[in-house]
């Protein structure tokens, strides 16, 4: 069964019916964002947040990956139409009969931005770095026994168990990027040296600039460079677009989407995404360590009202992670809004009197603030006072990492395989299990699903895991949003993708 195509291109009709440390200047080369020949100029994009850092193996922030998507490459990459894995730095691959040995042949002639040749040993170094230092995506290598480079153009990955989603694990997003084995690892926080179509030129508290990499191994970019400006307020980003200060943004006020479809000065792309947004309560902190309290909150929430307030008509409520259009979708919705049931669960948990829940959100993703306000009104009848704590994103990430929260709200983006939706976030001690959820039943289901070769059996296991996660309210799932992006009329060559990967190397500016 194929995934539903969710592609919108700038050349087609709009699909609508309708980091760096703040203040740091990081020079990384000569020239500016409009560099290169051809008179194609620079492209200016407005994004909602400043990257927390530029190390692809350590960051988990979408703002960072919006930039890094254009700077680094992976061995394989999701296709824009159905998100199936296609060649990138690996031109082809073979699998042994027992499915335990994967042999990848690498592209010839690729170089890093500093001129160093790309070799198989760089792949080994990158993957070993993630594994040995237990970095953000180390769990993706859970079944990897060894990684070797028999020669400069061949990489062999040996597994201890069949891993049907290995290609997705190593190529779904730029967190699996290949970096040079000669890199100064400390420099990766603020500098970048990839094999991608653009090289990093510099960064400040307000923007990051990239320049076309003239020796790129693939098709040369059509524009001289890209400048990412950080504009947290959606209204400001849209104003910058309509006044020609920027040419593209994905920071679109949801209430304006319908009217933008009738605006002849811009084009609007809107496709169902593979993202989900959620509320997480701290399972290591009383009283939210009691599943009855978490379930009480889940019964009190009206997801449709939250979704309407946060996203208008650009999202759909969902009580699981995977969106309905996916072949992996699991139709499970046990929490109908029921305040009486919620009160009973609080009594069962022994919660006496008023309860205050700190809810951490960030102004750099304004929908979290709006959703928190609605949630606060919905929990008030239970005697739960929601203390909305609005942080800048860097502080938000720091508090999340330290477990300094009662609850937080955000989203996971760019998910492809069902493991992306559930594994690292809900496995005991998983690298992205910031809520400290733990259930051996869930762990066992996720373990078995990750190595199950039969597609139907694998889906059944993930369905069971999803049910357990929802019942335990490890995450309180809210909605699946659309990918909504808007650009200036006349620009062509760009694709709006379901995984929200932002690739500007194919953009063509009007002559």
């Amino acid at each position: 069964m194929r995934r539903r195509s969710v592609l919108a291109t700038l050349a087609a009709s709009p699909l609508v019916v309708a980091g760096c440390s703040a203040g740091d200047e990081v020079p990384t080369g000569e020239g500016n964002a409009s560099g290169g020949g051809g008179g194609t100029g620079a492209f200016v994009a407005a994004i909602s947040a400043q990257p927390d850092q530029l190390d692809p193996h350590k960051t988990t922030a979408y703002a960072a990956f919006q930039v890094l998507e254009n700077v680094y490459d992976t061995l394989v990459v999701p296709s824009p139409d159905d998100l199936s894995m296609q060649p990138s730095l690996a031109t082809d691959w073979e699998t042994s009969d027992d499915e335990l040995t994967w042999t990848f042949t690498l592209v010839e002639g690729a170089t890093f931005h500093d001129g160093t040749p790309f070799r198989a040993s760089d792949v080994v170094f990158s993957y070993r770095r993630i594994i040995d230092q237990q970095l953000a995506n180390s769990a993706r290598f859970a079944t990897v026994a060894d990684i070797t480079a028999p020669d400069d153009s061949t990489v062999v990955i040996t597994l201890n168990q069949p891993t049907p989603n290995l290609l997705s694990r190593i190529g779904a997003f730029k967190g699996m990027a290949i970096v040079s084995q000669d890199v100064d690892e400390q420099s990766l926080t603020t500098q970048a040296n990839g094999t991608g179509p653009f090289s990093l030129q510099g960064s400040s508290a307000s923007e990051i600039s990239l320049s076309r990499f003239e020796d790129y191994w693939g098709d040369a970019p059509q524009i001289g460079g890209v400048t990412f400006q950080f504009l947290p307020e959606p209204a400001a980003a849209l104003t910058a677009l309509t006044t020609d200060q920027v040419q593209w943004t994905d920071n679109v006020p949801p209430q304006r989407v319908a009217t933008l479809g009738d605006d002849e000065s811009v084009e609007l792309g809107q496709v169902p995404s593979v993202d989900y947004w959620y509320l997480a309560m701290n399972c290591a902190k009383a009283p939210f360590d009691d599943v009855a309290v978490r379930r009480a909150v889940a019964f009190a929430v009206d997801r449709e009202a939250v979704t309407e307030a946060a996203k208008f008509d650009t999202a759909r409520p969902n009580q699981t992670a995977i969106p309905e259009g996916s072949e992996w979708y699991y139709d499970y919705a046990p929490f109908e809004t029921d305040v009486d049931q919620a009160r009973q669960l609080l009594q069962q948990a022994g919660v006496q009197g008023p309860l205050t829940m700190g809810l951490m959100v960030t102004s750099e993703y304004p929908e979290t603030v709006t959703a928190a306000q609605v949630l606060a009104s919905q929990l008030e009848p239970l005697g739960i006072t929601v203390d909305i704590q609005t942080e800048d994103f860097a502080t938000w990430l720091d508090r999340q990492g330290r477990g300094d929260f009662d609850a937080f709200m955000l989203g996971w983006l760019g998910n492809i395989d069902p493991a992306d939706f559930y594994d690292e976030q809900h496995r005991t001690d998983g690298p992205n299990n910031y809520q400290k959820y733990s259930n051996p039943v869930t762990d066992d289901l996720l373990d078995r699903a990750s190595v199950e070769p039969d597609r139907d059996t694998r889906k059944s296991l993930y369905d069971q895991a999803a049910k357990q996660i929802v019942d335990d309210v490890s995450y309180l799932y809210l909605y699946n949003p659309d990918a909504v992006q808007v650009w200036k009329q006349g620009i062509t060559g760009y694709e709006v993708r379901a995984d929200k990967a932002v690739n500007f190397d194919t953009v063509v500016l009007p002559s």
Side-chain angles (χ1 to χ4, degrees), residues 243-401:
T243 57
D244 297 324
Q245 298 174 62
V246 305
Q247 293 149 302
W248 175 98
T249 187
D250 64 345
N251 194 11
V252 182
Q255 67 272 27
R256 293 290 307 278
V257 170
T259 57
L260 283 170
D262 298 323
D263 187 337
E264 295 184 356
S265 70
V266 300
E267 293 196 37
L268 179 69
Q270 182 177 356
V271 298
S273 79
V274 290
D275 307 345
Y276 65 87
W277 289 69
Y278 64 96
L279 168 75
M281 288 168 274
N282 194 334
C283 299
K285 186 175 183 180
F288 308 105
D289 57 341
D290 190 326
V291 66
V293 173
R294 301 196 301 272
R295 287 177 62 83
V297 173
F299 272 112
V301 171
D302 180 344
R303 288 166 183 76
E304 289 191 3
V306 172
T307 304
E308 173 65 21
K311 302 299 291 186
F312 288 76
D313 294 325
T314 65
R316 285 145 300 283
N318 193 2
Q319 293 195 33
T320 59
I322 300 177
E324 188 172 356
S326 169
E327 63 180 295
W328 299 101
Y329 172 68
Y330 174 48
D331 187 6
Y332 183 61
F335 297 111
E336 295 296 329
T337 306
D338 188 337
V339 176
D340 290 336
Q341 175 72 5
R343 289 195 182 99
Q344 292 176 19
L345 285 165
L346 287 180
Q347 291 174 359
Q348 175 185 322
V351 174
Q352 302 292 330
L355 170 65
T356 298
M357 180 176 76
L359 178 52
M360 187 171 65
V361 297
T362 173
S363 56
E364 284 158 273
Y365 293 98
E367 60 264 48
T368 63
V369 180
T370 303
Q373 293 166 348
V374 176
L375 280 166
S377 67
Q378 293 176 351
L379 296 182
E380 187 176 5
L382 285 185
I384 298 177
T385 299
V386 176
D387 174 22
I388 300 175
Q389 300 165 354
T390 305
E391 305 281 13
D392 64 79
F393 197 41
T395 302
W396 191 101
L397 287 168
D398 177 66
R399 289 186 58 189
Q400 180 198 47

Side-chain angles (χ1 to χ4, degrees), residues 10 264-267 487-493 508-511:
L10 296 181
E264 295 184 356
S265 70
V266 300
E267 293 196 37
W487 54 88
K488 296 298 292 185
Q489 186 68 246
I491 293 171
T492 58
V508 178
L509 301 179
S511 56

Side-chain angles (χ1 to χ4, degrees), residues 112-129:
F112 289 95
H113 297 153
D114 66 357
T116 304
F118 162 68
R119 294 159 295 188
S121 51
D122 297 307
V123 179
V124 176
F125 169 79
S126 298
Y127 290 172
R128 293 271 18 140
R129 179 179 187 245

Side-chain angles (χ1 to χ4, degrees), residues 140-304:
R140 289 176 174 262
F141 293 104
T143 60
V144 172
D146 198 14
I147 307 165
T148 59
D151 56 56
D152 283 349
S153 60
T154 308
V155 171
V156 178
I157 299 179
T158 306
L159 308 174
N160 52 38
Q161 297 181 78
T163 307
N165 64 336
L166 180 66
L167 294 180
S168 174
R169 288 190 179 194
I170 64 174
F173 72 118
K174 291 305 185 286
M176 307 303 292
I178 305 305
V179 302
S180 170
Q181 63 182 330
D182 299 323
V183 71
D184 174 4
E185 292 188 54
Q186 297 300 318
S187 71
L188 285 175
T189 300
T190 57
Q191 299 180 34
N193 181 31
T195 59
F198 296 96
S199 61
L200 179 66
Q201 284 297 293
S203 66
S204 69
S206 60
E207 66 181 35
I208 287 179
S209 60
L210 310 180
S211 181
R212 178 172 60 203
F213 181 42
E214 300 295 347
D215 295 324
Y216 180 52
W217 59 271
D219 293 334
Q222 298 296 303
I223 52 177
V226 182
T227 296
F228 292 88
Q229 293 186 358
F230 316 138
L231 297 176
E233 290 295 332
L238 188 57
T239 297
L241 182 80
T242 57
T243 57
D244 297 324
Q245 298 174 62
V246 305
Q247 293 149 302
W248 175 98
T249 187
D250 64 345
N251 194 11
V252 182
Q255 67 272 27
R256 293 290 307 278
V257 170
T259 57
L260 283 170
D262 298 323
D263 187 337
E264 295 184 356
S265 70
V266 300
E267 293 196 37
L268 179 69
Q270 182 177 356
V271 298
S273 79
V274 290
D275 307 345
Y276 65 87
W277 289 69
Y278 64 96
L279 168 75
M281 288 168 274
N282 194 334
C283 299
K285 186 175 183 180
F288 308 105
D289 57 341
D290 190 326
V291 66
V293 173
R294 301 196 301 272
R295 287 177 62 83
V297 173
F299 272 112
V301 171
D302 180 344
R303 288 166 183 76
E304 289 191 3

